[in-house]
Amino acid sequence: MLKCRNIFYILFLLITIIFLYSCSKSTKYELYTESTEGMFDTVHIIKGYARNKKEFFEIFNKYESEMKKLDMLYNTYENFPGINNLKTVNDNAGIKEIKVDKSIIDLLESSIKWNKEIDSSVNIAFGPVIEEWEKKVVPSENKLNELNKCTNIDDIVIDKYKSTVFLKKKCMKLNVGAVAKGYAVEYVAKKFENEGITSILISAGGNIRVIGQRKEPRKDSEIKDLKSCKINFCVGVAPPIYNNKELDLNNPYIGYKEIVKVSVKDESVVTTGDYQRYFLENGKIYNHVISTKTLKPVENFSSVTVITKDSGIADFLSTTLFLVSKERGNEIINKLMRDKNIKIDAIWMDKNGKVTITDDLKNGDRYVLYKNK
């Protein structure tokens, strides 16, 4: 009887050891990376931890599927069979209301709310003026002034209960370029969070959204500057260069792989820059960020980066801060932090090579600055 008990005890220990080993093996996470392109006219990179490749690609495929759907809905340039998107709304301006998906209603309502409550520099009804500049020829002032008569944001009529959108004037056009990509990234990120998916970094062009932090810490030998990069994802802010030898001849940011590196956990990092899309006329550079006041491209900064939780707000703010003065930008940030309790950091890169960082970020240990003047 004693011998049987000993055998049973030994078997129990062996089974326990095997079970614990299997559990420890199954909770080992690996870092995977995959990319896709086409949606929102940019390259998307997903980096994250998963137990195996199959688990990671389930996450990646979810992201790609959701973003493809939102890209079609938020598209203002192309129609798709069987879908009422923003192009459909623009096509029917001054004619009839269009029934649209709830995600379109949510995007438009949020954009209008931010315009009213934060700053009016970003206006989704500014499409006629933006479209004129997208022809890559400098428009006449008369033409711009005429088009500007069709940009009243109050002429967007949204019926939330019927889920319809109507533009009062036939000459109106919605343009959501300053908000749509960030809003879409945040939409997917929130879905992931609700499903318990963590330890993911989404990079959609100049829009980065981090969910959680690393599941497996990096090795000490891999950490060059920020110690928190061991457990957090670290994001580098690229130098604002044109990658054109002639245009970058006197660019003070040449020679840098990144200007600032930021340690990020559950936050978004979104950049607006004058080097991303532009055209040349008579040797002068005209970027894609158009002022609602002057109706012309602004030349305040080379780039502005915003760091905050919500990728949609970060997208809106990065464009807004690019359009306004640094003083006004700080006012906007301080007001939002005070009134809405939203944590916001910003990085301005001036034309002369000076990099300015908001105090909360500058006085902490979450960043490394490689360049300043």
Side-chain angles (χ1 to χ4, degrees), residues 181-211:
K181 187 167 59 174
Y183 193 91
V185 167
E186 186 63 26
Y187 178 91
V188 178
K190 283 177 179 173
K191 275 201 165 188
F192 281 176
E193 288 174 333
N194 291 336
E195 293 172 11
I197 297 171
T198 60
S199 200
I200 298 290
L201 182 148
I202 300 168
S203 174
N207 297 61
I208 293 173
R209 173 69 154 88
V210 172
I211 306 171

Side-chain angles (χ1 to χ4, degrees), residues 173-277:
K173 288 182 187 295
L174 297 176
N175 185 293
V176 293
V179 291
K181 187 167 59 174
Y183 193 91
V185 167
E186 186 63 26
Y187 178 91
V188 178
K190 283 177 179 173
K191 275 201 165 188
F192 281 176
E193 288 174 333
N194 291 336
E195 293 172 11
I197 297 171
T198 60
S199 200
I200 298 290
L201 182 148
I202 300 168
S203 174
N207 297 61
I208 293 173
R209 173 69 154 88
V210 172
I211 306 171
Q213 59 188 139
R214 295 179 184 275
K215 286 187 182 291
E216 298 288 341
R218 295 175 70 189
K219 297 176 182 177
D220 289 334
S221 58
E222 297 174 333
I223 311 300
K224 294 182 180 179
D225 352 82
L226 289 175
K227 291 182 180 179
S228 55
C229 291
K230 185 171 184 175
I231 58 172
N232 289 343
F233 287 101
C234 281
V235 176
V237 182
I241 57 177
Y242 297 99
N243 289 310
N244 178 300
K245 193 172 182 179
E246 185 178 343
L247 298 181
D248 286 323
L249 188 61
N250 297 309
N251 193 323
Y253 298 101
I254 282 291
Y256 291 85
K257 183 180 178 182
E258 52 195 11
I259 303 299
V260 180
K261 182 185 286 184
V262 184
S263 171
V264 182
K265 176 185 175 183
D266 284 320
E267 285 181 303
S268 300
V269 181
V270 180
T271 299
T272 295
D274 66 355
Y275 57 94
Q276 294 167 332
R277 292 197 302 277

Side-chain angles (χ1 to χ4, degrees), residues 55 57 87-89 100 104 120 126 135-136 165 169 220 229 239 271 274 280 289 292 294 302 305 313 316 338-339 365:
E55 183 181 84
F57 271 92
K87 174 70 161 55
T88 315
V89 174
V100 295
I104 289 180
S120 61
F126 202 52
K135 295 176 181 178
K136 297 186 176 181
V165 182
K169 295 181 179 179
D220 289 334
C229 291
T271 299
D274 66 355
L280 290 169
V289 191
T292 54
T294 67
S302 292
T305 298
I313 293 176
F316 178 91
R338 182 182 66 248
D339 297 349
D365 57 359

Side-chain angles (χ1 to χ4, degrees), residues 36-59:
T36 183
E37 57 184 304
M39 302 94 73
F40 294 94
D41 195 28
T42 195
V43 175
H44 300 249
I45 300 170
I46 309 300
K47 181 180 290 189
Y49 288 86
R51 293 181 183 88
N52 51 60
K53 201 169 185 179
K54 181 183 176 184
E55 183 181 84
F56 172 76
F57 271 92
E58 285 176 358
I59 296 169

